[in-house]
Amino acid sequence: MNRTTNHQALMALVALIEAIGHVQDQPTQIKLRRAAYLHAIIEAILAERVDALPEIYSVAK
């Protein structure tokens, strides 16, 4: 995966999350957030910017 493809996937996920707003189906929300989180990590790695790695926090308990 290159940066362009990863960025497109991340933007698609962000658009989807914003479009559907608050979903009652919590497992779906968690999956979408995890996917976006993963793409943010991939972007930081591909850009070789360790300082851009997202903070670690629990998406779901």
Side-chain angles (χ1 to χ4, degrees):
M1 174 176 288
N2 62 32
R3 288 185 70 195
T4 302
T5 304
N6 183 63
H7 183 72
Q8 290 170 343
L10 179 57
M11 292 300 102
L13 279 167
V14 169
L16 179 61
I17 291 169
E18 290 175 352
I20 62 175
H22 181 71
V23 177
Q24 295 299 327
D25 183 20
Q26 189 174 13
T28 299
Q29 278 186 333
I30 292 169
K31 287 177 184 176
L32 289 172
R33 289 179 183 171
R34 283 182 177 165
Y37 185 75
L38 178 62
H39 281 287
I41 291 171
I42 292 169
E43 171 57 27
I45 292 169
L46 291 173
E48 298 180 4
R49 292 199 48 219
V50 177
D51 61 313
L53 288 170
E55 293 294 320
I56 298 172
Y57 62 91
S58 177
V59 175
K61 294 182 182 182

